Amino acid sequence: MAPSSSSSPSSSSSKSPPPPAYQSPQFTPIQECEREEHDHEDKHRPTPLHQAQKSAKPNARKSSENSDAGGASAGEDGSVSCNKCRPHAREKISVVPLDNSGVNKQSNSSMASPNGIFKSIFSSLIRKSPRPATEALTTAREEQWKIAVAELSHKVIQATRKRDEAVLESSRLKHTMVELEKKLNKLEIYCHNLKSGLEECSVRKVNHYSVNDKIIDHFLASVSEARSSVRLLSRSLAMQLRQMGGKVYERISVLLQPYDIKVSYSKNPRSLLFYLEAILNKAFYEDFESVGFQKSAVTHILNPIDRCEANFESFKLLQRLTWEEVLNKGTRHFSEEFSKFCDRKMSEIVAMLGWNRAWPEPLLQAFFCASKSVWLVHLLATSVHPSLAILRVDKGVGFDGVYMEDIAGDSANKLVPSVVRIMAAPGFYVYGSVVKCKVQCRYYNNNNNNDHNKL
């Protein structure tokens, strides 16, 4: 084959001119690097063989080497390609297919940090991009890429840190909002309950004032009735004492001795009635402030409002109680506490006067009326909260017309009351008002300022 190829140029050249190098059937242009081939065409054009082959004999050894090197290096037109002496641009590009499994493994490792993300991106870009002609340019670009990657990695780290801080702050704000919402709900419930309580309190206050006004009216009437009932009892006792002899008068004189008072029924029976009234009122109203007129008594109803309502209900029940009902059923049938009060006060009066006889029915009825009136005053005084307080004065207290009423009245118009001698009936504090207590005073004359005893 080599001798024929060496003799073919002379025969072919005589017949037709050789085709151009770029039209040689031995070269196929590559489309991806078309621009680079044009640049290389100007620098590396195929070199035609010398015509000396016509005079020189063909060398079999050289032709065999040329045939071993390949038919692509020498064509029928006698041209030689330099593709083997310089690497082609296409050979520099290595296209590696991506494996899905490899991508997933790389993403798991590279996505752990922003540096891995940018390294994977820029390494793929570097593999796909053509190498520059010069090594210095390649090194400079690699340094620029590294700097850019470092800066972007730093920015991504900062952005990630800020994002984490923002997420943490957002979670804290959400927790705070939840807590505030709970507190707001509790506050709304509290305000609603407070408003409901205020409305209920307003209604109760109106009802309380109306009930209190009603109780106060009953209280004032009961105080007046109690004073009349005790005065009637003192008259009944005075009539019975006349039949008992002088021992009873001596007993009464002993009771009045602390007040420097001497009585004589024959000389002044009116004064005896007054002193008996004072002694009876002192006995009836003793321990008035205590529950059930008993010291250190324990209340069975702890709520003051409920206790007031219970006392007022008891008042309405006993207010209609009559002497005939007591004779038929007894006081214990209507009220246990009232029955104990009556028994206790009767024993005190009997012991105080030294009474040793059975009480007749008129005297018992007078005692029942007096006891009932005083007990109703006590119930009404404790039917309001706070309870109405009793007003007592003792001997030697200076007379005060705002809180005291002198029993002498107009009969001692020329005499001025000086100090209290004895209290006949107690008074009461009724909120901003007062029920005056009844007293007997020591007097002095306006003319000579001498003390005088009245009654």
Side-chain angles (χ1 to χ4, degrees):
M1 295 295 294
S4 64
S5 63
S6 62
S7 61
S8 61
S10 61
S11 62
S12 62
S13 62
S14 62
K15 292 179 182 181
S16 60
Y22 58 88
Q23 294 180 356
S24 175
Q26 300 295 330
F27 292 90
T28 302
I30 299 174
Q31 298 297 329
E32 290 87 350
C33 303
E34 182 178 358
R35 185 175 179 181
E36 292 184 1
E37 289 179 359
H38 286 295
D39 293 338
H40 290 296
E41 284 178 3
D42 298 335
K43 297 179 182 180
H44 306 283
R45 292 186 180 275
T47 305
L49 297 176
H50 296 283
Q51 299 295 330
Q53 292 179 355
K54 297 179 180 180
S55 58
K57 293 181 179 181
N59 192 346
R61 186 177 180 180
K62 292 182 178 180
S63 62
S64 64
E65 291 177 357
N66 292 332
S67 63
D68 294 337
S73 61
E76 295 177 359
D77 54 354
S79 60
V80 179
S81 175
C82 297
N83 292 333
K84 295 298 181 179
C85 61
R86 181 184 177 93
H88 199 272
R90 186 174 182 180
E91 297 177 359
K92 298 177 183 180
I93 300 174
S94 60
V95 180
V96 180
L98 295 175
D99 189 5
N100 292 330
S101 60
V103 172
N104 293 331
K105 294 178 181 179
Q106 185 178 1
S107 62
N108 293 330
S109 61
S110 61
M111 291 302 176
S113 64
N115 290 330
I117 298 174
F118 282 94
K119 285 181 180 180
S120 61
I121 295 173
F122 286 104
S123 62
S124 62
L125 292 177
I126 292 172
R127 287 197 301 268
K128 292 180 181 180
S129 61
R131 291 185 179 178
T134 8
E135 191 68 22
L137 183 60
T138 303
T139 304
R141 288 186 177 180
E142 288 180 356
E143 293 296 330
Q144 291 178 357
W145 282 115
K146 290 180 180 179
I147 294 172
V149 169
E151 291 179 355
L152 289 175
S153 300
H154 180 71
K155 289 181 179 179
V156 169
I157 291 172
Q158 295 296 328
T160 305
R161 185 178 301 170
K162 290 182 179 179
R163 183 203 63 187
D164 295 339
E165 292 177 355
V167 171
L168 180 60
E169 186 67 22
S170 177
S171 63
R172 289 177 180 175
L173 289 175
K174 287 181 181 179
H175 179 72
T176 304
M177 290 297 294
V178 171
E179 294 296 327
L180 288 176
E181 187 176 0
K182 291 180 181 179
K183 291 181 180 180
L184 183 61
N185 292 334
K186 291 181 180 180
L187 184 61
E188 289 179 354
I189 295 173
Y190 175 75
C191 292
H192 178 72
N193 294 336
L194 189 63
K195 183 179 179 181
S196 301
L198 184 61
E199 293 175 355
E200 184 178 357
C201 183
S202 299
V203 173
R204 284 187 176 182
K205 189 175 182 181
V206 173
N207 297 333
H208 179 70
Y209 278 134
S210 60
V211 172
N212 280 2
D213 293 341
K214 184 178 180 181
I215 292 175
I216 295 304
D217 293 339
H218 285 296
F219 178 79
L220 296 176
S222 297
V223 169
S224 179
E225 184 178 356
R227 288 180 176 180
S228 300
S229 298
V230 173
R231 189 177 299 114
L232 179 62
L233 177 60
S234 65
R235 290 177 182 175
S236 299
L237 278 174
M239 293 176 64
Q240 294 295 324
L241 292 176
R242 186 182 301 176
Q243 301 174 4
M244 295 180 66
K247 291 183 178 180
V248 177
Y249 292 102
E250 293 177 1
R251 191 74 176 175
I252 295 175
S253 297
V254 172
L255 294 174
L256 297 175
Q257 187 175 0
Y259 303 98
D260 297 332
I261 296 175
K262 294 180 181 181
V263 294
S264 175
Y265 182 75
S266 60
K267 293 182 179 180
N268 193 354
R270 184 173 179 270
S271 62
L272 178 63
L273 293 176
F274 174 78
Y275 295 136
L276 278 176
E277 181 181 350
I279 293 172
L280 291 175
N281 277 320
K282 183 179 179 181
F284 274 119
Y285 286 100
E286 187 178 4
D287 299 327
F288 181 85
E289 301 87 350
S290 303
V291 178
F293 285 89
Q294 290 182 333
K295 288 183 179 181
S296 303
V298 179
T299 179
H300 300 287
I301 304 176
L302 300 180
N303 191 318
I305 303 301
D306 296 340
R307 185 168 60 249
C308 292
E309 293 176 355
N311 290 334
F312 189 65
E313 291 297 326
S314 179
F315 161 78
K316 291 188 292 185
L317 177 64
L318 294 177
Q319 186 184 18
R320 298 185 295 268
L321 183 61
T322 60
W323 173 246
E324 287 75 14
E325 293 175 337
V326 172
L327 289 177
N328 295 329
K329 299 181 180 180
T331 55
R332 191 179 299 274
H333 175 77
F334 300 96
S335 175
E336 182 74 22
E337 293 183 352
F338 175 59
S339 178
K340 291 180 180 179
F341 173 74
C342 292
D343 295 341
R344 188 168 58 254
K345 294 304 176 181
M346 179 174 286
S347 299
E348 291 177 1
I349 293 173
V350 169
M352 180 177 58
L353 298 177
W355 195 281
N356 54 4
R357 295 184 181 181
W359 286 33
E361 184 178 343
L363 184 60
L364 287 174
Q365 184 176 359
F367 174 81
F368 164 75
C369 292
S371 301
K372 172 188 170 183
S373 298
V374 174
W375 182 256
L376 292 180
V377 171
H378 174 74
L379 289 177
L380 289 171
T382 55
S383 295
V384 293
H385 184 73
S387 302
L388 301 180
I390 191 171
L391 171 61
R392 299 186 183 92
V393 292
D394 202 357
K395 65 175 184 177
V397 177
F399 179 80
D400 189 342
V402 176
Y403 302 96
M404 305 175 192
E405 178 184 357
D406 185 15
I407 61 173
D410 297 335
S411 62
N413 52 3
K414 293 183 179 180
L415 301 176
V416 177
S418 174
V419 294
V420 175
R421 189 175 186 181
I422 189 173
M423 182 187 70
F428 298 93
Y429 295 100
V430 185
Y431 297 127
S433 303
V434 63
V435 177
K436 295 181 180 181
C437 58
K438 299 178 67 174
V439 296
Q440 184 189 46
C441 296
R442 294 183 181 275
Y443 307 93
Y444 65 89
N445 196 325
N446 287 333
N447 297 327
N448 52 16
N449 293 331
N450 293 326
D451 290 343
H452 297 273
N453 292 337
K454 189 68 177 177
L455 299 177

